[in-house]
Amino acid sequence: MNDRLKTIVDLEKYPIQDLNSSKIKEIIHKCKTDLEQFSCSTIPKFILPKSLEIMNSELEKQINEVYMSKQSINAYLYSKDDPSLPKDHPKRIFMDRDNGYLNSDLFPKDSEMKFLYEQEELLKFVSACLGISPIYRWADPLACHAYNVMRPEGILPWHFDSCEFTLSLMIQKPEKGGIFEYCPNIRKPGNENFEEVKKVIDGDRTRVRQLKLEPGDLQIFKGRFTLHRVTKVEGNRSRYLCIPAYVLDPWRVNTPEHSKAIYGKVLPIHLERNITRSDGLAD
Ligand SMILES: [Fe+2]
């Protein structure tokens, strides 16, 4: 284990460097149960306060390089309408989105967050919590461990992620609002479940759960199968999160359309690797 890891993660509470310890086994068991039932699990105060400060300041140093995108988008992250579908199809429902990313390729070499993402200990711990192996770090150079910024009035409407597994690390909470809401296991490979997705988008709250994250908390989340959103940020303080992601396919990256819309640019890798997905689900 690299010594730097113990300055970032609270290894006393969460000894992820030793997956055989009874302490971590208990935590993994709880996460696995939560993930199976709710497709989401939270590990409180995973990151040490000092490291959180470092992450906060590395993001603020580059805050002017954050790509903010304000657009009308559907739950599959497309902004183009498809008139061949029925009028009330969820792919034809467009919602306001105002949200930004500090792309992963802009992180300095010695970045605190980049270092954490690259540690085998974190990958193996997340894999154990999910009960899925192997999982991989995401090959997308812009999106793999981006900082997410939601300014006052920012909003992230209902959507599915492109990557299967998303970690959310809360760095700075807004004064009010900016609440994460999700509908566990609403779609699965081969079954989009458009009817239920539409109900949620139309305002049905039956399936909706809320998650309250505090700074330093780590959330593990099955974002590709779980419809989710972040409510409008209220007050004067922005909401900062880091979103390291893991995938089942080590080769795949975002589609060019998706990358352009969300991260502001398309790299050659997005064009080279743009083929239909094997799980049959829409991005
Ligand atoms: Fe998401």
Side-chain angles (χ1 to χ4, degrees), residues 77 101 156 159-162 166 180 221 223 226 228-229 243:
L77 304 175
Y101 285 106
L156 192 58
H159 70 282
F160 295 101
D161 292 342
S162 292
T166 313
F180 181 82
F221 174 58
T226 306
H228 57 285
R229 73 167 177 181
I243 311 189

Side-chain angles (χ1 to χ4, degrees), residues 27 131 170 205 262:
I27 288 152
M170 177 58 85
R205 302 286 296 173
I262 313 283

Side-chain angles (χ1 to χ4, degrees), residues 136-250:
Y136 302 92
R137 289 181 200 99
W138 199 2
D140 195 295
L142 305 181
C144 57
H145 55 64
Y147 278 118
N148 173 245
V149 174
M150 287 177 72
R151 297 198 170 125
E153 298 293 296
I155 191 161
L156 192 58
W158 290 115
H159 70 282
F160 295 101
D161 292 342
S162 292
C163 53
E164 283 88 2
F165 314 115
T166 313
L167 305 191
S168 299
L169 233 168
M170 177 58 85
I171 294 177
Q172 178 175 283
K173 255 177 83 170
E175 286 165 15
K176 224 180 136 202
I179 302 208
F180 181 82
E181 294 190 335
Y182 63 109
C183 303
N185 303 314
I186 199 167
R187 74 172 185 178
K188 57 184 178 205
N191 181 7
E192 289 276 10
N193 204 1
F194 286 130
E195 229 167 84
E196 287 296 305
V197 169
K198 182 176 159 34
K199 271 194 212 164
V200 177
I201 295 174
D202 285 347
D204 186 304
R205 302 286 296 173
T206 321
R207 280 174 171 266
V208 178
R209 294 175 61 87
Q210 283 195 338
L211 183 79
K212 299 224 159 68
L213 278 181
E214 294 297 322
D217 291 358
L218 174 73
Q219 175 201 3
I220 306 177
F221 174 58
K222 296 185 190 171
R224 187 154 175 75
F225 314 108
T226 306
L227 191 64
H228 57 285
R229 73 167 177 181
V230 180
T231 63
K232 193 178 266 186
V233 169
E234 297 167 52
N236 294 317
R237 196 165 56 229
S238 296
R239 179 182 188 268
Y240 297 155
L241 221 77
C242 190
I243 311 189
Y246 295 98
V247 290
L248 294 172
D249 180 346

Side-chain angles (χ1 to χ4, degrees), residues 265-280:
K265 60 182 175 181
V266 177
L267 303 177
I269 193 172
H270 297 115
L271 300 167
E272 286 156 19
R273 300 189 179 187
N274 184 25
I275 56 163
T276 314
R277 297 190 65 129
S278 55
D279 65 10

Side-chain angles (χ1 to χ4, degrees), residues 13-29:
K13 231 165 143 188
Y14 305 114
I16 59 168
Q17 79 284 17
D18 177 14
L19 294 185
N20 290 317
S21 73
S22 55
K23 214 187 235 181
I24 204 74
K25 273 187 175 164
E26 231 172 81
I27 288 152
I28 289 169
H29 178 75

